[in-house]
Amino acid sequence: MKVLVIGGGAREHVIASTLKRDGAAVYAVMKNLNPGIKRIAEEYLIHDENDGEKIAEYATRKGIELVVIGPEAPEGKGVTNALLKKGIKVASPTKEAAEIETNKEFMRNLMDKYGIKGSVKSRAFSDVELAKEFIEMLDGNVAVKPIGLTGGKGVRVAGDHLKSIEEAIEYAREVIEKGIGGAHRVLIEEKVVGEEFTLQAFCDGKAIYPMPAVQDHKRLLPDDKGPNTGGMGSYSHHSGILPFMSMDDYEIATNILQKVVDALRMEGREYHGVIYGQFMLTADGPRVIEINARFGDPEAMNVLPLLKSNFVEICEGMADGDLSNNQIDFDAKSTVCKYVVPNGYGINPKEGIEIEVDEEGIKDEGALLFYASVNEKDGKIYTTRSRSLAVVGIAYEIEDAEKITENALKHVKGDVFIRHDIGKKELIEKRINHMKMLRGE
Ligand code: AMP
């Protein structure tokens, strides 16, 4: 089957390689030339990933039978809709269904309208004075968010990035006045405290089929310091849940995602594709921080290498609207993924610097390598302003997976930065103790 993958990051590299593993002839549309995808693909087109017309025309010309969209932006721009119009199947949501991610106000309103538990107090404002009143009413314990997409970098949280009520109000003003995220409007949410986890699921429009839970690390620096980034790395546990959570927590989160999908269907926005819930596990259970309309990046790299079932068939089932006959199984193993980023990433990244990647060395350590935003010239790899590549170790225990990842990372050299603490025992124990403390154990 000819399958087209849209996007050129590490998430799309793992999507493409899993599709190929399971028998697909992979085609790609990406704005940058990802060296990993380049090798997998039968053919590729370097083009704007948001250009639905051009992508639909390319897909028709190449006889593409199924499309998988990696990033959220093309979904928001209606690339799925353009492909469906030409009669091409898509295993990703339409613009209307993807609004669950592209419009945070819509997501909160939908949860409220359908009485879905696990949301947080929130309100959206176009008027700074009203936003100020709401921030004061919540005593400054807030998260201030642009309504639209900011690549995970537009959110500021009290006590973290915002040191006072005044700073929260100031940032709300900035979001409204500058139109950060595409709208002159700001979402103010109650701040919730706990441990974050990601739950991704396959969805055929009706039912969801959850994958192992993952914990991402959004903060740039060790010990969760510094600014938010696209994600510095992530881990998962062989049990399918995380060391600080219970099976009940996992089931509650799964139920919330199912109810969101039900609500979308009732609104005439049937959801096909991977749905992603970012949850904060609080003392009172999981609360929704964000819902995304796609795989997470890095989280895709934790789950897809563990998928034992045929991914091409799953994508077809999602697109066709019926996964009920698909067996969906994952290997019971732990994974640790760490991103390599240019030094200065998130602030003033060193762009155009060569990184030496010994692919054979990484393979010999038993680790997986996924390329992200790099340029390849004459067989050499150069950094851009974004994340460069990710390395994934897999083993029964997290500790062993982490060692595989670290050993493999020795085969990457250059002016780069890595959060070495991800997946290490100390950090995981800290999470477990944090949760125990919050639950009063
Ligand atoms: P987002 O872009 O919505 O995923 O938010 C980025 C980060 O901000 C999340 O990973 C959380 O750590 C934090 N955050 C967002 N919303 C809240 C909230 N309501 N309470 C506490 N932390 C939050």
Side-chain angles (χ1 to χ4, degrees), residues 73-257:
E75 296 173 348
K77 296 283 182 204
V79 172
T80 304
N81 306 51
L83 287 159
L84 290 174
K85 244 198 231 159
K86 298 260 174 177
I88 300 166
K89 291 184 198 178
V90 189
S92 300
T94 57
K95 180 180 177 176
E96 293 73 25
E99 218 174 325
I100 199 67
E101 167 165 10
T102 59
N103 181 346
K104 290 181 203 277
E105 183 181 3
F106 168 75
M107 184 271 279
R108 291 292 176 206
N109 287 344
L110 188 81
M111 288 191 73
D112 288 346
K113 178 173 172 188
Y114 287 86
I116 303 171
K117 291 208 180 87
S119 196
V120 298
K121 271 193 214 111
S122 75
R123 273 182 67 185
F125 302 93
S126 303
D127 180 321
V128 182
E129 283 311 306
L130 296 176
K132 176 171 179 272
E133 273 175 33
F134 192 64
I135 292 169
E136 284 169 351
M137 199 188 93
L138 291 171
D139 265 342
N141 265 319
V142 292
V144 181
K145 304 184 172 189
I147 304 285
L149 298 178
T150 55
K153 293 153 202 149
V155 174
R156 294 200 190 156
V157 181
D160 252 346
H161 325 86
L162 303 167
K163 299 292 172 227
S164 62
I165 292 200
E166 288 69 35
E167 277 188 34
I169 297 165
E170 231 6 80
Y171 184 55
R173 180 191 307 280
E174 199 183 323
V175 171
I176 292 174
E177 285 175 0
K178 291 193 182 153
I180 299 175
H184 290 276
R185 205 162 159 77
V186 70
L187 185 70
I188 309 294
E189 289 182 358
E190 151 199 19
K191 176 189 173 182
V192 284
V193 179
E195 278 300 326
E196 277 180 81
F197 68 93
T198 299
L199 180 66
Q200 303 169 103
F202 299 113
C203 180
D204 63 6
K206 296 178 274 305
I208 66 156
Y209 299 80
M211 307 182 216
V214 182
Q215 190 173 44
D216 180 21
H217 298 70
K218 281 211 158 63
R219 306 295 288 268
L220 177 66
L221 303 173
D223 212 19
D224 297 321
K225 303 273 186 333
N228 276 331
T229 67
M232 297 298 293
S234 48
Y235 68 90
S236 68
H237 185 253
H238 61 79
S239 61
I241 61 172
L242 294 160
F244 53 81
M245 69 193 278
S246 70
M247 208 50 215
D248 267 1
D249 299 324
Y250 181 86
E251 272 158 22
I252 291 168
T254 304
N255 258 320
I256 293 173
L257 278 188

